[in-house]
Short mmCIF file of all heavy atoms in Angstrom, two decimals:
data_model
loop_
_atom_site.label_atom_id
_atom_site.label_comp_id
_atom_site.label_asym_id
_atom_site.label_seq_id
_atom_site.Cartn_x
_atom_site.Cartn_y
_atom_site.Cartn_z
N ALA A 1 0.88 -1.12 0.00
CA ALA A 1 0.03 0.01 0.06
C ALA A 1 0.84 1.23 0.02
O ALA A 1 0.57 2.07 -0.85
CB ALA A 1 -0.88 -0.06 1.16
N LYS A 2 1.85 1.24 0.90
CA LYS A 2 2.70 2.52 0.97
C LYS A 2 3.63 2.49 -0.21
O LYS A 2 3.84 3.75 -0.83
CB LYS A 2 3.61 2.45 2.25
CG LYS A 2 4.33 3.69 2.43
CD LYS A 2 4.67 3.92 3.91
CE LYS A 2 5.46 5.36 3.93
NZ LYS A 2 5.76 5.62 5.36
N TYR A 3 4.18 1.42 -0.82
CA TYR A 3 5.06 1.49 -1.81
C TYR A 3 4.48 1.97 -3.11
O TYR A 3 5.11 2.67 -3.91
CB TYR A 3 5.67 0.07 -1.96
CG TYR A 3 6.91 -0.09 -2.92
CD1 TYR A 3 7.98 0.52 -2.58
CD2 TYR A 3 6.78 -0.68 -4.12
CE1 TYR A 3 9.09 0.37 -3.50
CE2 TYR A 3 7.85 -0.87 -5.06
CZ TYR A 3 9.05 -0.33 -4.66
OH TYR A 3 10.10 -0.47 -5.49
N PHE A 4 3.29 1.53 -3.31
CA PHE A 4 2.54 1.91 -4.57
C PHE A 4 1.55 3.14 -4.42
O PHE A 4 0.82 3.40 -5.36
CB PHE A 4 1.86 0.73 -5.24
CG PHE A 4 2.83 -0.22 -5.76
CD1 PHE A 4 3.04 -1.44 -5.12
CD2 PHE A 4 3.37 -0.06 -6.99
CE1 PHE A 4 3.98 -2.37 -5.67
CE2 PHE A 4 4.33 -0.94 -7.50
CZ PHE A 4 4.68 -2.07 -6.80
N GLY A 5 1.30 3.52 -3.15
CA GLY A 5 0.35 4.52 -2.89
C GLY A 5 -1.17 4.15 -3.11
O GLY A 5 -1.92 4.80 -3.65
N LEU A 6 -1.36 2.90 -2.66
CA LEU A 6 -2.77 2.45 -2.79
C LEU A 6 -3.42 2.23 -1.40
O LEU A 6 -2.69 2.33 -0.32
CB LEU A 6 -2.62 0.89 -3.19
CG LEU A 6 -1.87 0.74 -4.63
CD1 LEU A 6 -1.62 -0.87 -4.79
CD2 LEU A 6 -2.66 1.32 -5.71
N ALA A 7 -4.70 2.13 -1.46
CA ALA A 7 -5.47 1.80 -0.15
C ALA A 7 -5.18 0.40 0.23
O ALA A 7 -4.78 -0.40 -0.64
CB ALA A 7 -7.01 2.06 -0.40
N PRO A 8 -5.47 0.03 1.40
CA PRO A 8 -5.17 -1.39 1.80
C PRO A 8 -5.80 -2.42 0.99
O PRO A 8 -5.30 -3.47 0.63
CB PRO A 8 -5.55 -1.40 3.31
CG PRO A 8 -5.35 -0.11 3.79
CD PRO A 8 -5.72 0.79 2.58
N LYS A 9 -7.07 -2.18 0.65
CA LYS A 9 -7.89 -3.18 -0.11
C LYS A 9 -7.23 -3.27 -1.46
O LYS A 9 -7.11 -4.38 -2.02
CB LYS A 9 -9.31 -2.79 -0.26
CG LYS A 9 -10.21 -3.83 -1.02
CD LYS A 9 -11.66 -3.50 -0.92
CE LYS A 9 -12.43 -4.58 -1.64
NZ LYS A 9 -13.90 -4.14 -1.75
N GLU A 10 -6.90 -2.21 -2.13
CA GLU A 10 -6.27 -2.29 -3.45
C GLU A 10 -4.96 -2.97 -3.29
O GLU A 10 -4.68 -3.69 -4.26
CB GLU A 10 -6.06 -0.84 -3.94
CG GLU A 10 -7.39 -0.10 -4.24
CD GLU A 10 -7.10 1.40 -4.53
OE1 GLU A 10 -6.27 1.97 -3.95
OE2 GLU A 10 -7.81 1.99 -5.50
N ALA A 11 -4.10 -2.71 -2.38
CA ALA A 11 -2.94 -3.39 -2.11
C ALA A 11 -3.07 -4.93 -1.98
O ALA A 11 -2.41 -5.71 -2.61
CB ALA A 11 -2.08 -2.83 -1.02
N ALA A 12 -4.04 -5.32 -1.25
CA ALA A 12 -4.30 -6.78 -0.91
C ALA A 12 -4.74 -7.35 -2.38
O ALA A 12 -4.41 -8.42 -2.72
CB ALA A 12 -5.42 -6.84 -0.05
N MET A 13 -5.56 -6.59 -3.09
CA MET A 13 -6.00 -7.12 -4.45
C MET A 13 -4.79 -7.29 -5.31
O MET A 13 -4.80 -8.29 -6.14
CB MET A 13 -7.09 -6.25 -5.01
CG MET A 13 -8.47 -6.44 -4.27
SD MET A 13 -9.68 -5.16 -4.81
CE MET A 13 -9.92 -5.66 -6.39
N LYS A 14 -3.96 -6.31 -5.38
CA LYS A 14 -2.77 -6.41 -6.14
C LYS A 14 -1.84 -7.55 -5.80
O LYS A 14 -1.42 -8.27 -6.69
CB LYS A 14 -1.91 -5.15 -6.10
CG LYS A 14 -0.64 -5.01 -6.84
CD LYS A 14 0.11 -3.70 -6.84
CE LYS A 14 1.33 -3.68 -7.65
NZ LYS A 14 1.21 -4.21 -9.07
N ILE A 15 -1.57 -7.74 -4.54
CA ILE A 15 -0.81 -8.82 -4.12
C ILE A 15 -1.46 -10.16 -4.55
O ILE A 15 -0.79 -11.11 -5.09
CB ILE A 15 -0.68 -8.90 -2.61
CG1 ILE A 15 0.23 -7.68 -2.18
CG2 ILE A 15 0.02 -10.17 -2.11
CD1 ILE A 15 0.26 -7.34 -0.67
N ALA A 16 -2.80 -10.29 -4.34
CA ALA A 16 -3.47 -11.58 -4.69
C ALA A 16 -3.46 -11.81 -6.22
O ALA A 16 -3.12 -12.97 -6.56
CB ALA A 16 -5.02 -11.47 -4.28
N SER A 17 -3.52 -10.79 -7.00
CA SER A 17 -3.37 -11.00 -8.42
C SER A 17 -2.04 -11.29 -8.81
O SER A 17 -1.81 -12.25 -9.56
CB SER A 17 -3.84 -9.65 -9.08
OG SER A 17 -3.64 -9.73 -10.46
N ASP A 18 -0.99 -10.55 -8.32
CA ASP A 18 0.38 -10.70 -8.70
C ASP A 18 1.02 -12.13 -8.13
O ASP A 18 1.84 -12.72 -8.86
CB ASP A 18 1.26 -9.65 -8.12
CG ASP A 18 0.90 -8.33 -8.81
OD1 ASP A 18 0.21 -8.32 -9.88
OD2 ASP A 18 1.42 -7.29 -8.43
N PHE A 19 0.36 -12.73 -7.00
CA PHE A 19 0.91 -13.93 -6.53
C PHE A 19 0.01 -15.06 -6.86
O PHE A 19 0.20 -16.26 -6.45
CB PHE A 19 1.13 -13.76 -5.00
CG PHE A 19 2.40 -13.10 -4.57
CD1 PHE A 19 2.37 -11.64 -4.61
CD2 PHE A 19 3.54 -13.88 -4.29
CE1 PHE A 19 3.56 -11.09 -4.19
CE2 PHE A 19 4.69 -13.21 -3.90
CZ PHE A 19 4.71 -11.84 -3.89
N GLY A 20 -1.11 -14.78 -7.62
CA GLY A 20 -1.95 -15.86 -8.11
C GLY A 20 -2.75 -16.50 -6.96
O GLY A 20 -2.98 -17.74 -6.99
N LEU A 21 -3.23 -15.74 -5.89
CA LEU A 21 -3.92 -16.22 -4.81
C LEU A 21 -5.43 -16.21 -5.13
O LEU A 21 -5.95 -15.31 -5.72
CB LEU A 21 -3.64 -15.33 -3.53
CG LEU A 21 -2.19 -15.27 -3.13
CD1 LEU A 21 -2.08 -14.31 -1.84
CD2 LEU A 21 -1.57 -16.56 -2.84
N ASN A 22 -6.09 -17.20 -4.59
CA ASN A 22 -7.53 -17.30 -4.70
C ASN A 22 -8.26 -16.94 -3.41
O ASN A 22 -7.61 -17.18 -2.25
CB ASN A 22 -8.08 -18.68 -5.08
CG ASN A 22 -7.52 -19.07 -6.61
OD1 ASN A 22 -7.66 -18.24 -7.43
ND2 ASN A 22 -7.05 -20.30 -6.64
N TYR A 23 -9.22 -16.27 -3.30
CA TYR A 23 -9.96 -15.93 -2.17
C TYR A 23 -11.54 -16.02 -2.45
O TYR A 23 -11.92 -15.90 -3.52
CB TYR A 23 -9.52 -14.66 -1.55
CG TYR A 23 -9.85 -13.36 -2.44
CD1 TYR A 23 -11.04 -12.65 -2.29
CD2 TYR A 23 -8.92 -13.01 -3.46
CE1 TYR A 23 -11.35 -11.61 -3.05
CE2 TYR A 23 -9.22 -11.95 -4.25
CZ TYR A 23 -10.36 -11.29 -4.12
OH TYR A 23 -10.60 -10.23 -4.89
N ASP A 24 -12.20 -16.03 -1.35
CA ASP A 24 -13.76 -16.04 -1.48
C ASP A 24 -14.23 -14.67 -1.84
O ASP A 24 -14.35 -13.83 -0.90
CB ASP A 24 -14.34 -16.63 -0.22
CG ASP A 24 -15.82 -16.70 -0.30
OD1 ASP A 24 -16.45 -16.32 -1.32
OD2 ASP A 24 -16.54 -17.15 0.66
N ALA A 25 -14.54 -14.34 -3.04
CA ALA A 25 -15.00 -13.10 -3.45
C ALA A 25 -16.29 -12.74 -2.85
O ALA A 25 -16.72 -11.45 -2.76
CB ALA A 25 -15.12 -12.96 -4.99
N THR A 26 -17.10 -13.64 -2.30
CA THR A 26 -18.39 -13.38 -1.87
C THR A 26 -18.34 -12.99 -0.36
O THR A 26 -19.31 -12.52 0.26
CB THR A 26 -19.32 -14.66 -1.92
OG1 THR A 26 -18.81 -15.74 -1.18
CG2 THR A 26 -19.58 -15.03 -3.34
#
């Protein structure tokens, strides 16, 4: 979040996408 200037949720979504993590979207 701090490195890219993102909100925590956006940072978590970026990490999940970049690392190929699956999570319960519901």
Side-chain angles (χ1 to χ4, degrees):
K2 186 158 187 177
Y3 191 67
F4 290 103
L6 302 172
K9 184 176 180 182
E10 293 170 324
M13 290 171 66
K14 178 171 181 51
I15 294 169
S17 174
D18 292 349
F19 281 82
L21 303 178
N22 295 316
Y23 63 95
D24 183 358
T26 62

